[in-house]
Amino acid sequence: MEILYVLTNIILFGVVLLTKRKDTKIDLFSTIAVVVVLKFCYNVLICYIDNLIKVPITLLTLSVQNLLFSGIFIFKIIRTREVQKYSFDKKDGMFLIIIAIVFFTLVWKIYGFPIAIRYYSFSDFVNHLSYSLNFSNKTELLNSFIRPGAYVNTGILFKVLAPFVDTFDLYKVYILGDMIWLVMQSIMMYILSKKYIKNIFSFIIVAILSVLFILSYPLNSILFGFSYLSLAMLMIITLGVVMEKHEDGELPKWTWWGCLALINFGIAFSYYFLLPFIYLSIFIYKLFETLQKNKKVISMENIIFSLIVFVVPAIASIQYHFLSRIIKSGTESLVKQATLEGAIHNSLYANFLLLLPFIAYYIYKEIVGLKRKKLTDNKDKNIFRSKMDFSSIMVLSTLFYIIVTFIVNRCGLLSDYGFFKTYYAFWLFAFCVFIKGIFLLLNQKGLKKYLTMVFMIFYIIVASYKFICPNLRNFVKDFRGVEGVQDCFELFENNGNVIKRTDYFYNTLECDLIKFVYENIDLENDKILLYTFCGQNEKFFNIFYKTNKGIGFNSKEYNQTRDNGLYKYILYMGRSLKKHNIKREEVADKMILLYENSSGAVYENPNYNK
């Protein structure tokens, strides 16, 4: 089934690319990137429908559905007897090489080779890994309290790799999947900015900024273990690319509507909290388009558009996430979830200070460009000569949403944790408009151009220095006091701080200890005592065992548990012993050594009383 599923995905991917959308050649690089993200959204949609109509979610059913959808595109290709033609820019290939280098460098710097586990928020990583593993073993979605966007895509990959990769090693696949979502955000930012590439100098600027972009909020999301948020961010920035392709005439009306609906569905099932300002942005953009074409605002076309793009994804999300939950536990659970706190980067405005001049300048030019026509002009009754750039609309809509949620937060109805999640999405298009503002100024003559160049050189040097050589700072739990220019690069500092930490949650040797237990010890009936250092817990260990969980180390229990025979096995890690001043000989005394490496050992207790 695994090979069949892969083949049907290749067929579906191929026929989507071959389906004609424009008479002239279109960009292959950006099209492939968008189709990949749409496939992530498609996976969530198909699994939701299967779950709704009680069809088992297996590789076989998913393969059949892939073939059914492929048939629709094949029919269109046969009917038109035409296929889409593409072009490929060499600079896109160069950027692909750059981003591949960035990918492997980040994996090496953060996780090392072989891959270890390093997250600022370890519990988030473990929870979402657990969801993906659980889904890969099931034929239905998990409970409605868990957003399925990320775990569906990762879980399907786990299903495909199950015969080839040991279950324990799937955590490495999970980590690599997170990193792929990260670098794909950089690819999307590059695609949004590539129209400004006129020469090698402008290519270098776009490439550097596209990489610098993901070293901020996108990387922070990965380090904090926000897998679902990272996927939602990728979908949101892809929305911007889809809008630009619509502007360029690459997407016919129904195709454009379908892409918007699919992305909205993906976001709704990845992190629905971000959906309001996305809906608002698309609505404003469509309103501008309608007024520009001198059409009625309330029309059958706009009603159908709203039903497809807005209503259907919203109803599906409400049905899945809220109705079943309200039926089970009432509205109290929703309020409680909204007020739950957690670890998150919580700078209120400092990270955007250096971007602000360029953002303000670009949006100002966009607003000035919306010159109204006189309504008495009989030859041309268009209200607007042009519509605002979608990226600018997203910045303004998200900023409005942040203000509203800030008020809700101050009223105690929304946690800081929930409030600052919006900043991760805000950064996407704020940075995009920042780049557009730079090139708008670079295209000017005289002082504006040279001041922009000097500022950009300063920005890149300082940002790179702050990322590579961060000043150690603590993450704070409450709103900041006074933020200033000195805090502009704190996000880069914090990311660099996490990356430079030597205290992995589990380094590769410690992972080997756990893997030995997983592969060689049957814990169906026997218990194990875990000696893990502060910050670790038994949760990661226990996601691989569904019965008779191990218990985490408690220094008070040491003398009681070692000799009383309650645990057949003991797994200790050297960092725990060092922290609690326990000598290795104490643990090894009267125990049978099963496996050891420089980080710890696994023992069997001969005094075990079952």
Side-chain angles (χ1 to χ4, degrees):
M1 286 305 140
E2 294 79 17
I3 296 175
L4 175 63
Y5 178 74
V6 172
L7 288 176
T8 58
N9 273 288
I10 294 173
I11 293 171
L12 178 59
F13 194 81
V15 295
V16 169
L17 290 179
L18 289 174
T19 302
K20 186 174 181 179
R21 294 179 294 281
K22 193 176 181 181
D23 291 333
T24 57
K25 291 182 178 180
I26 61 177
D27 180 40
L28 178 63
F29 182 71
S30 60
T31 304
I32 290 177
V34 170
V35 172
V36 169
V37 178
L38 290 176
K39 183 60 169 63
F40 295 148
C41 301
Y42 161 87
N43 287 341
V44 182
L45 173 62
I46 291 299
C47 289
Y48 167 74
I49 294 174
D50 287 348
N51 193 73
L52 191 65
I53 61 178
K54 306 302 181 182
V55 172
I57 303 173
T58 65
L59 292 182
L60 177 59
T61 57
L62 293 176
S63 298
V64 171
Q65 288 157 341
N66 283 344
L67 290 175
L68 289 175
F69 279 95
S70 298
I72 297 173
F73 292 98
I74 292 171
F75 173 77
K76 185 175 181 180
I77 293 171
I78 294 175
R79 184 172 60 84
T80 59
R81 296 183 180 179
E82 292 180 306
V83 295
Q84 183 61 55
K85 295 180 180 179
Y86 291 94
S87 62
F88 184 78
D89 192 329
K90 292 181 180 178
K91 292 186 179 66
D92 296 342
M94 292 170 59
F95 182 75
L96 200 57
I97 294 173
I98 292 171
I99 205 63
I101 294 172
V102 171
F103 172 82
F104 287 109
T105 302
L106 286 174
V107 172
W108 171 63
K109 288 290 290 182
I110 300 172
Y111 307 105
F113 293 115
I115 294 174
I117 300 173
R118 174 189 278 162
Y119 285 90
Y120 183 79
S121 178
F122 185 62
S123 60
D124 279 281
F125 158 71
V126 173
N127 285 335
H128 296 293
L129 172 62
S130 177
Y131 301 152
S132 299
L133 287 168
N134 288 339
F135 174 71
S136 68
N137 295 320
K138 291 181 177 292
T139 59
E140 60 184 2
L141 296 181
L142 307 181
N143 69 65
S144 60
F145 286 79
I146 307 168
R147 293 175 289 268
Y151 79 68
V152 159
N153 282 285
T154 309
I156 289 175
L157 183 59
F158 286 179
K159 288 176 184 282
V160 173
L161 295 178
F164 314 104
V165 179
D166 189 275
T167 300
F168 183 84
D169 289 325
L170 287 175
Y171 80 87
K172 300 176 183 178
V173 177
Y174 176 93
I175 289 173
L176 292 176
D178 264 1
M179 297 305 293
I180 289 173
W181 290 343
L182 175 68
V183 297
M184 283 196 68
Q185 292 180 59
S186 181
I187 290 173
M188 291 302 174
M189 183 59 70
Y190 168 80
I191 293 170
L192 284 171
S193 309
K194 65 181 291 187
K195 64 183 177 183
Y196 299 109
I197 298 177
K198 307 298 181 184
N199 48 46
I200 190 63
F201 175 71
S202 55
F203 169 77
I204 292 173
I205 292 178
V206 169
I208 291 175
L209 289 176
S210 297
V211 172
L212 192 63
F213 155 72
I214 62 166
L215 299 181
S216 49
Y217 274 101
L219 178 59
N220 187 264
S221 177
I222 295 295
L223 295 175
F224 272 73
F226 303 150
S227 180
Y228 58 95
L229 182 59
S230 296
L231 180 57
M233 291 169 69
L234 175 57
M235 292 174 179
I236 292 170
I237 195 171
T238 303
L239 182 64
V241 177
V242 167
M243 286 298 194
E244 291 211 346
K245 285 189 171 293
H246 165 67
E247 286 286 327
D248 297 336
E250 291 185 20
L251 297 176
K253 181 176 72 174
W254 289 103
T255 305
W256 179 50
W257 292 9
C259 290
L260 293 182
L262 201 55
I263 292 174
N264 281 345
F265 190 94
I267 296 169
F269 279 76
S270 296
Y271 193 55
Y272 50 75
F273 187 75
L274 304 176
L275 213 55
F277 65 83
I278 293 170
Y279 273 20
L280 179 61
S281 301
I282 297 174
F283 172 79
I284 294 173
Y285 180 89
K286 190 68 169 67
L287 181 62
F288 273 124
E289 187 175 70
T290 300
L291 294 175
Q292 184 192 31
K293 294 179 179 179
N294 197 26
K295 293 182 178 181
K296 294 180 179 179
V297 174
I298 301 177
S299 63
M300 184 56 67
E301 177 181 316
N302 285 348
I303 291 173
I304 296 174
F305 173 86
S306 299
L307 288 173
I308 294 174
V309 175
F310 299 138
V311 177
V312 173
I315 290 177
S317 180
I318 291 171
Q319 181 276 325
Y320 182 79
H321 292 113
F322 300 109
L323 291 184
S324 58
R325 192 182 306 183
I326 291 173
I327 292 172
K328 290 179 181 178
S329 53
T331 57
E332 292 184 4
S333 63
L334 300 179
V335 176
K336 183 179 179 181
Q337 185 182 30
T339 55
L340 287 176
E341 291 291 357
I344 194 169
H345 181 77
N346 59 358
S347 174
L348 194 59
Y349 55 83
N351 295 317
F352 297 89
L353 286 178
L354 289 184
L355 278 62
L356 186 59
F358 296 94
I359 294 173
Y361 180 75
Y362 185 83
I363 292 179
Y364 167 75
K365 287 294 185 180
E366 283 287 300
I367 295 174
V368 170
L370 295 173
K371 295 179 180 178
R372 296 173 64 89
K373 284 281 188 177
K374 293 181 180 180
L375 296 179
T376 57
D377 187 352
N378 294 324
K379 294 182 180 180
D380 188 355
K381 294 184 179 180
N382 287 347
I383 296 179
F384 295 104
R385 291 179 182 175
S386 63
K387 55 180 176 288
M388 280 190 72
D389 177 79
F390 181 74
S391 298
S392 301
I393 295 173
M394 278 290 290
V395 168
L396 295 175
S397 299
T398 313
L399 184 59
F400 171 75
Y401 186 67
I402 286 174
I403 294 171
V404 172
T405 52
F406 176 79
I407 296 172
V408 176
N409 171 270
R410 294 295 87 186
C411 294
L413 299 176
L414 178 66
S415 64
D416 293 355
Y417 182 71
F419 170 71
F420 281 108
K421 287 284 182 70
T422 308
Y423 278 63
Y424 290 75
F426 184 44
W427 181 260
L428 301 177
F429 285 95
F431 204 91
C432 179
V433 173
F434 165 65
I435 294 176
K436 291 183 177 185
I438 288 172
F439 280 97
L440 188 61
L441 283 166
L442 285 176
N443 290 332
Q444 304 291 320
K445 295 181 180 180
L447 186 61
K448 288 182 180 179
K449 178 177 181 178
Y450 293 109
L451 285 177
T452 303
M453 293 173 64
V454 170
F455 185 86
M456 281 312 303
I457 293 172
F458 165 78
Y459 185 93
I460 292 170
I461 291 175
V462 175
S464 301
Y465 171 78
K466 288 290 188 179
F467 176 70
I468 297 170
C469 305
N471 296 319
L472 300 182
R473 294 187 180 182
N474 295 322
F475 291 94
V476 293
K477 297 181 179 180
D478 299 320
F479 277 100
R480 313 301 301 275
V482 178
E483 297 180 24
V485 178
Q486 72 277 5
D487 298 309
C488 286
F489 294 99
E490 188 185 29
L491 180 58
F492 293 93
E493 293 178 29
N494 287 339
N495 290 346
N497 187 23
V498 174
I499 291 174
K500 285 180 174 292
R501 285 171 56 177
T502 57
D503 55 328
Y504 288 85
F505 278 101
Y506 288 100
N507 61 38
T508 53
L509 291 174
E510 289 168 340
C511 286
D512 285 343
L513 290 174
I514 300 174
K515 187 175 182 178
F516 172 82
V517 176
Y518 174 75
E519 292 181 340
N520 298 279
I521 296 177
D522 180 13
L523 294 181
E524 183 68 25
N525 299 307
D526 301 322
K527 294 184 178 181
I528 186 169
L529 179 64
L530 307 176
Y531 289 80
T532 55
F533 68 95
C534 183
Q536 287 178 327
N537 54 54
E538 65 273 16
K539 205 168 185 180
F540 174 72
F541 181 88
N542 288 334
I543 64 176
F544 298 102
Y545 296 94
K546 306 305 176 187
T547 60
N548 231 342
K549 296 181 179 180
I551 183 171
F553 170 69
N554 183 327
S555 57
K556 294 180 180 179
E557 292 181 323
Y558 174 71
N559 292 327
Q560 299 173 11
T561 57
R562 187 171 66 97
D563 300 321
N564 62 10
L566 294 178
Y567 299 92
K568 185 173 183 179
Y569 303 102
I570 292 179
L571 182 152
Y572 87 86
M573 295 177 184
R575 286 188 283 178
S576 282
L577 301 182
K578 184 177 180 180
K579 179 179 177 61
H580 295 285
N581 296 318
I582 299 174
K583 296 180 180 180
R584 177 171 177 167
E585 293 75 15
E586 293 182 56
V587 177
D589 184 39
K590 301 179 182 178
M591 297 293 166
I592 302 172
L593 178 65
L594 300 179
Y595 177 78
E596 70 175 335
N597 58 35
S598 59
S599 71
V602 180
Y603 291 101
E604 182 177 352
N605 184 359
N607 299 319
Y608 173 62
N609 297 316
K610 189 172 181 179

